[in-house]
Amino acid sequence: GENVEQHPSTLSVQEGDSAVIKCTYSDSASNYFPWYKQELGKGPQLIIDIRSNVGEKKDQRIAVTLNKTAKHFSLHITETQPEDSAVYFCAARYPNTGNQFYFGTGTSLTVIP
Amino acid sequence: DSGVTQTPKHLITATGQRVTLRCSPRSGDLSVYWYQQSLDQGLQFLIQYYNGEERAKGNILERFSAQQFPDLHSELNLSSLELGDSALYFCASSKEWGLNGYTFGSGTRLTVV
C-alpha cells in the first residue's frame, strides 16, 4: 500500500554541522516529493521540492536528492543554525491514488548552539 | 502568514460534544485538504475537497464530516467527541489537484476533556 518511511525520528547536531533526513517511498509511479518544516505552534511550511525528472535540487543551505531506482529521497541541510530546529516532514505524491500526498512520520531536528 | 486561515486556534470541549472547525483557503486555491496530527504522530489525511466536491477520503471517522462551500471555505465537523480526538487539525490548500505541494494553515488545537 501507500507508504512513506522517514528516518531518523530525532536528530541532534552541533551548529555548523550538516543534517541528513532520509525517506523511502513504495510506489515507483510517484513523481513529486515535497519537504515541509514545522516550527513549534505552526503549520507545516513547504521548504523545497523535487520532481522525478531530476536527481538533485539546491536552495542555499538546503538540498534534496532523489534516487528513483532505490525509491529514496533525502533532505540535506548544511551549516545548520539554531533556527533550523524544527520537525521536518517528507511527502510523496502517488498518482495511482488520485495524486494524494502521503507524509512521513517526521524528524525532530535540534541544532545545538 | 501562509494565506490559509483556520479558526478557532484553540478549542476545549467535553466528551460527547460536537465542534466545527473552519478553514479559508489561500486566494485562488480550489482544493482544500484536512489533516489530523496527534501527539507524536505524523500527518494523517482525512479528506479532500476540490471546487466544492469531495475528491478523496482518508482515515476519516464516521463521526467526522466536512464540506466545502461555494466561496471555497471549508468546515470540518467532529461529533460525539472522544478523548482520543484531541489533536491538531490542519487545513491545507492548493491551486490544482495534487500538482504541487500544499500550503498549510496554522491549525486548530482541539482538546477534549
Side-chain angles (χ1 to χ4, degrees), chain A residues 1 3-4 13 16 21 25-26 32-33 35 37 42-43 48 50 59 63 68 73 77 81-82 85-87 99 109:
Chain A
N3 191 33
V4 177
V13 299
I21 302 170
Y25 58 99
S26 57
Y32 175 64
F33 308 91
W35 284 88
K37 174 183 181 182
K42 298 184 178 180
I48 195 168
I50 190 168
D59 182 5
K68 287 188 294 183
F73 59 112
I77 306 174
Q81 301 169 3
S85 296
V87 178
N99 277 337
L109 172 65

Side-chain angles (χ1 to χ4, degrees), chain B residues 28-70:
Chain B
D29 286 357
L30 298 179
S31 275
V32 170
Y33 312 81
W34 286 97
Y35 283 83
Q36 181 191 56
Q37 186 178 42
S38 302
L39 193 63
D40 294 332
Q41 294 289 318
L43 292 158
Q44 300 294 318
F45 169 66
L46 296 178
I47 197 164
Q48 177 206 356
Y49 281 84
Y50 179 79
N51 203 20
E53 294 186 9
E54 181 185 306
R55 285 297 187 180
K57 265 186 175 180
N59 300 320
I60 188 167
L61 300 172
E62 287 190 9
R63 301 183 285 108
F64 296 180
S65 65
Q67 54 183 327
Q68 186 179 28
F69 294 87

Side-chain angles (χ1 to χ4, degrees), chain B residues 17-104:
Chain B
Q17 295 298 305
R18 171 190 170 96
V19 297
T20 298
L21 313 183
R22 182 187 170 101
C23 169
S24 292
R26 197 177 53 167
S27 178
D29 286 357
L30 298 179
S31 275
V32 170
Y33 312 81
W34 286 97
Y35 283 83
Q36 181 191 56
Q37 186 178 42
S38 302
L39 193 63
D40 294 332
Q41 294 289 318
L43 292 158
Q44 300 294 318
F45 169 66
L46 296 178
I47 197 164
Q48 177 206 356
Y49 281 84
Y50 179 79
N51 203 20
E53 294 186 9
E54 181 185 306
R55 285 297 187 180
K57 265 186 175 180
N59 300 320
I60 188 167
L61 300 172
E62 287 190 9
R63 301 183 285 108
F64 296 180
S65 65
Q67 54 183 327
Q68 186 179 28
F69 294 87
D71 66 352
L72 301 178
H73 91 272
S74 178
E75 293 181 356
L76 178 67
N77 301 297
L78 314 176
S79 62
S80 302
L81 285 167
E82 303 174 358
L83 295 178
D85 297 327
S86 296
L88 268 170
Y89 290 85
F90 287 106
C91 167
S93 72
S94 67
K95 276 191 168 29
E96 293 110 3
W97 180 10
L99 293 184
N100 295 301
Y102 303 159
T103 300
F104 281 84

Side-chain angles (χ1 to χ4, degrees), chain A residues 44-63:
Chain A
Q45 179 185 7
L46 179 68
I47 56 171
I48 195 168
D49 55 16
I50 190 168
R51 300 184 189 276
S52 57
N53 58 344
V54 298
E56 184 175 5
K57 183 177 179 180
K58 285 185 180 179
D59 182 5
Q60 299 182 342
R61 297 186 296 107
I62 295 174

Side-chain angles (χ1 to χ4, degrees), chain A residues 60-87:
Chain A
Q60 299 182 342
R61 297 186 296 107
I62 295 174
V64 57
T65 59
L66 172 64
N67 182 328
K68 287 188 294 183
T69 302
K71 291 185 279 189
H72 289 170
F73 59 112
S74 299
L75 178 71
H76 304 254
I77 306 174
T78 59
E79 300 174 21
T80 53
Q81 301 169 3
E83 52 264 39
D84 294 329
S85 296
V87 178

Side-chain angles (χ1 to χ4, degrees), chain A residues 89-108:
Chain A
F89 291 96
C90 62
R93 182 174 64 198
Y94 284 76
N96 294 332
T97 59
N99 277 337
Q100 288 302 319
F101 284 93
Y102 290 85
F103 287 80
T105 50
T107 296
S108 178

